[in-house]
Amino acid sequence: MQTIQSFTVNHDKLKPGMYLSRIDGDCVTYDIRMVTPNAGIYLENDGLHTFEHLFATYVRNTPFSDRIIYVGPMGCRTGFYFITRDSVSKEDAIRLVQETCAFILSFEGEIPGSKRWECGNYLDHSLPKAKAYAENLGKTLAGWTPEQMRYEA
């Protein structure tokens, strides 16, 4: 079998940030790394889960909503995949993630989609952890540019 593209990225050189992972037709996959891979610190499930709910809710309630394909955590718990249509510019994708971080930091109240009938693991949420992840990612992406979206060789 062929090795999938994301497994060809040298994770020993990967740092937190936002990277262009791949383009498939009109779908653009961004790799949003929130912690350094294999460094012993990983996103905890409850905070990751809440971050996911808030991330997906925010970006699907922007003018770009019809061009958002997917928001989801990586199984290795080091970040998220964010998939958009190619009509969303790299600058806009970065800005959406920055705005998402600000939204999560200011969010108060019930987590969207966190009722038992809405979520398959509705008890596994942590808004304080999601806010901490948003704060760290927001700092990482401050001033981030499309030129920084390339993986290090």
Side-chain angles (χ1 to χ4, degrees):
M1 282 200 239
Q2 282 188 334
T3 302
I4 64 170
Q5 188 173 347
S6 62
F7 294 161
T8 66
V9 174
N10 186 340
H11 285 67
D12 288 333
K13 294 184 177 183
L14 197 51
K15 303 288 182 230
M18 184 170 172
Y19 303 94
L20 177 59
S21 177
R22 58 185 293 144
I23 299 173
D24 299 287
D26 72 336
C27 294
V28 179
T29 301
Y30 294 99
D31 172 337
I32 300 170
R33 291 293 164 154
M34 298 166 70
V35 298
T36 302
N38 301 313
I41 298 172
Y42 302 97
L43 303 173
E44 295 182 36
N45 285 332
D46 54 353
L48 177 80
H49 190 196
T50 302
F51 192 98
E52 174 199 11
H53 278 233
L54 293 171
F55 188 172
T57 297
Y58 180 79
V59 296
R60 289 190 175 119
N61 279 281
T62 69
F64 295 97
S65 64
D66 62 338
R67 294 175 271 168
I68 304 301
I69 306 297
Y70 176 74
V71 171
M74 296 174 180
C76 61
R77 299 187 351 247
T78 62
F80 280 79
Y81 287 113
F82 180 40
I83 304 174
T84 69
R85 297 275 183 218
D86 63 2
S87 58
V88 177
S89 70
K90 291 175 186 147
E91 292 86 357
D92 284 335
I94 292 167
R95 187 175 46 76
L96 277 170
V97 177
Q98 291 167 332
E99 289 175 359
T100 294
C101 290
F103 169 74
I104 293 170
L105 275 169
S106 67
F107 186 84
E108 296 297 332
E110 185 176 321
I111 306 303
S114 66
K115 292 183 179 72
R116 181 184 178 96
W117 56 272
E118 297 171 316
C119 179
N121 196 2
Y122 78 106
L123 295 175
D124 195 28
H125 282 282
S126 172
L127 183 56
K129 288 179 188 173
K131 286 183 178 226
Y133 299 156
E135 182 176 16
N136 289 337
L137 181 59
K139 288 177 183 174
T140 298
L141 295 182
W144 203 262
T145 66
E147 292 73 33
Q148 293 172 280
M149 296 178 111
R150 288 184 293 264
Y151 292 120
E152 186 178 326

